[in-house]
Amino acid sequence: MLDETTTPLSPREDIAPAPADSPAPSPSHGTTVWLTRLLVVGLVLAAVNLRPAITSLGALLEDVRAGLHMSGSVAGVLTSVPALCFAVFGVTAPRLARRFGPGAVVCAGMVAITAGLLIRPFTNGTAAFLAASALALMGIAVSNVLMPVIVKRYFPDRVGTMTGLYSMSLSAGTAVAAAATVPMTGALGGSWRLGLGLWAVVAAVAVLPWAALLVRDRRNAATATGGGEGERKRTSAPAPAPRIARSRTAWALGTFFGLQATGAYITMGWMPQIFRDAGVSAGTAGLLLAVTMVMGVPLAFVIPRLATRMKNQGPIVIALGACGLTGYAGLFLAPAAGAWVWALLLGISNCAFPLALTMIGMRARTGPGVVRLSAFAQSTGYLISIPGPLLVGVLYQHSGGWELPITLMAGLMVPQIVLGVVAGRDRTIEDEC
């Protein structure tokens, strides 16, 4: 835990730790407090910027389609690109972290998000728009993977608190971008380009603390090398990384992550339409979705703290799953009559996301283990989540109602609960690899 007597190691040392008997510098009290605060600020700002690139576009998608003469099929593909990019680019995070250090990669991720969001509004064609979006999503993907790593390394005794803090910040960034993009666009004259581009400013602010940490680490590395650190790094080898594909816990956690992401994407994409088809007004349907999303803000802080106090997180998985099953049952039987209750229950159920992030930090003992587990679980999970919303749309179109899609949603909740219980057992991937 970072306190007055503990110095945060550099991101490079997180991947290849030095021997325990190596001499360590003794920082001043003021320096340590400054670094702790900078890390917390950097963590919060990074988390805030992990979803606005997606939700701000969703709010203005019709305007973007008209402005770029984008076909409906291309727009449909665009909504599936985030999960695909998270899966594809997320797997590169462990190698990048070993080469440059996780802090440097997160800094580069924030730069990529800023660049993508800055370029995207000024493109004049669909291909360029997709390329700029992919650049921002690439930055989000590697930062997604490395957030649990940063927490585990710098706040080992506060995993629950810090995971809750950045999960809450992520949820807040998601909700604010979804709710504020359209009003801000109107205030700026109605231009969707300005409405999307404004989020580049928010991302640019997040670069600053990570850049300051990177400069600090480079200076420390240069000083240490001059004092014989270079010889120590040549003689100390990184700890062997676990073979993640052999771990049942890793597979359970990755699949649990994918199923909860599937449920979240289906809820965000289709829940308003379910309510509207049941006779709820468009405005009220939007408010119901906002209730579901806002539930993630306070619970994202509470659930990780609770999870770290328990050796087995299975009971939390079951409780969240029970809320989801009840919510889906309500949507099936009386979608309009109990709309607010169902929205509230599904919002609670969607808080399996911060729980999954917390378990990533708890199911590995070492820095390399957390890096690999985070990359494996998130990449596997986002791949699993891609077909879910599309399948719901197909079932809705061909059946002409919501009975089959809602049955599918509820059915997916059952393996989510089972695999979450398996992933929540008190063991680490190092025990299985």
Side-chain angles (χ1 to χ4, degrees), residues 318-329 342 344-346 348-349 413:
I318 294 171
L320 296 178
C323 289
L325 288 172
T326 305
Y328 289 135
W342 316 142
L344 183 68
L345 289 172
L346 290 173
I348 296 173
S349 177
M413 185 62 67

Side-chain angles (χ1 to χ4, degrees), residues 275 280-289 340:
F275 286 127
V280 177
S281 68
T284 302
L287 288 175
L288 289 167
L289 179 60
W340 295 99

Side-chain angles (χ1 to χ4, degrees), residues 198-218:
L198 188 63
W199 293 102
V201 178
V202 182
V205 174
V207 175
L208 301 178
W210 293 102
L213 287 166
L214 185 59
V215 169
R216 175 257 177 188
D217 288 328
R218 292 294 179 262

Side-chain angles (χ1 to χ4, degrees), residues 2 8 30-46 106 150 154-155 162 165 205-217:
L2 287 177
T31 300
T32 303
V33 172
W34 177 82
L35 288 172
T36 302
R37 292 174 178 172
L38 192 62
L39 279 164
V40 173
V41 170
L43 199 70
V44 169
L45 290 178
V106 171
I150 297 292
Y154 293 118
F155 303 94
M162 299 310 298
L165 181 63
V205 174
V207 175
L208 301 178
W210 293 102
L213 287 166
L214 185 59
V215 169
R216 175 257 177 188
D217 288 328

Side-chain angles (χ1 to χ4, degrees), residues 339-390:
W340 295 99
V341 177
W342 316 142
L344 183 68
L345 289 172
L346 290 173
I348 296 173
S349 177
N350 284 346
C351 289
F353 173 69
L355 176 62
L357 293 178
T358 306
M359 289 197 291
I360 288 174
M362 298 179 69
R363 297 286 88 88
R365 289 195 301 266
T366 65
V370 176
V371 174
R372 285 179 173 263
L373 180 57
S374 183
F376 180 86
Q378 295 198 47
S379 297
T380 301
Y382 283 122
L383 278 176
I384 291 172
S385 72
I386 292 172
L390 300 177

Side-chain angles (χ1 to χ4, degrees), residues 44-393:
V44 169
L45 290 178
V48 166
N49 284 280
L50 292 182
R51 292 299 180 269
I54 303 167
T55 52
S56 63
L57 176 59
L60 297 173
L61 186 57
E62 287 301 317
D63 301 280
V64 174
R65 283 183 59 190
L68 296 178
H69 307 289
M70 188 184 297
S71 67
S73 59
V74 173
V77 170
L78 186 60
T79 61
S80 299
V81 165
L84 181 62
C85 287
F86 292 168
V88 171
F89 295 123
V91 298
T92 67
R95 179 174 296 182
L96 292 172
R98 288 194 297 270
R99 176 67 178 85
F100 301 105
V105 177
V106 171
C107 182
M110 294 299 109
V111 172
I113 295 170
T114 303
L117 294 180
L118 186 62
I119 295 169
R120 185 168 72 172
F122 301 103
T123 57
N124 292 315
T126 299
F129 188 90
L130 287 172
S133 297
L135 176 61
L137 292 169
M138 178 176 65
I140 294 172
V142 295
S143 300
N144 270 337
V145 170
L146 294 179
M147 286 291 100
V149 179
I150 297 292
V151 169
K152 180 77 169 182
R153 179 61 191 91
Y154 293 118
F155 303 94
D157 295 333
R158 297 182 185 177
V159 170
T161 300
M162 299 310 298
T163 300
L165 181 63
Y166 86 74
S167 297
M168 184 174 65
S169 302
L170 190 153
S171 297
T174 303
V176 169
T181 297
V182 172
M184 288 193 306
T185 301
L188 294 171
S191 170
W192 64 265
R193 296 182 185 274
L194 289 177
L196 289 183
L198 188 63
W199 293 102
V201 178
V202 182
V205 174
V207 175
L208 301 178
W210 293 102
L213 287 166
L214 185 59
V215 169
R216 175 257 177 188
D217 288 328
R218 292 294 179 262
R219 288 177 177 173
N220 284 358
T223 302
T225 301
E229 178 73 7
E231 180 63 28
R232 188 185 74 176
K233 288 200 179 258
R234 285 193 297 268
T235 58
S236 60
R243 297 184 180 181
I244 199 76
R246 294 183 178 181
S247 169
R248 293 180 180 179
T249 297
W251 280 106
L253 186 51
T255 310
F256 172 71
F257 192 99
L259 290 172
Q260 64 81 26
T262 299
Y265 287 141
I266 291 173
T267 299
M268 288 187 289
W270 290 107
M271 194 175 75
Q273 190 64 48
I274 295 174
F275 286 127
R276 292 189 65 179
D277 288 350
V280 177
S281 68
T284 302
L287 288 175
L288 289 167
L289 179 60
V291 167
T292 300
M293 296 175 64
V294 167
M295 285 303 301
V297 178
L299 289 181
F301 186 72
V302 173
I303 289 176
R305 298 186 69 183
L306 178 63
T308 54
R309 295 175 182 177
M310 303 170 64
K311 289 187 176 181
N312 189 323
Q313 289 74 47
I316 303 178
V317 171
I318 294 171
L320 296 178
C323 289
L325 288 172
T326 305
Y328 289 135
L331 288 181
F332 188 95
L333 298 172
W340 295 99
V341 177
W342 316 142
L344 183 68
L345 289 172
L346 290 173
I348 296 173
S349 177
N350 284 346
C351 289
F353 173 69
L355 176 62
L357 293 178
T358 306
M359 289 197 291
I360 288 174
M362 298 179 69
R363 297 286 88 88
R365 289 195 301 266
T366 65
V370 176
V371 174
R372 285 179 173 263
L373 180 57
S374 183
F376 180 86
Q378 295 198 47
S379 297
T380 301
Y382 283 122
L383 278 176
I384 291 172
S385 72
I386 292 172
L390 300 177
L391 182 56
V392 166

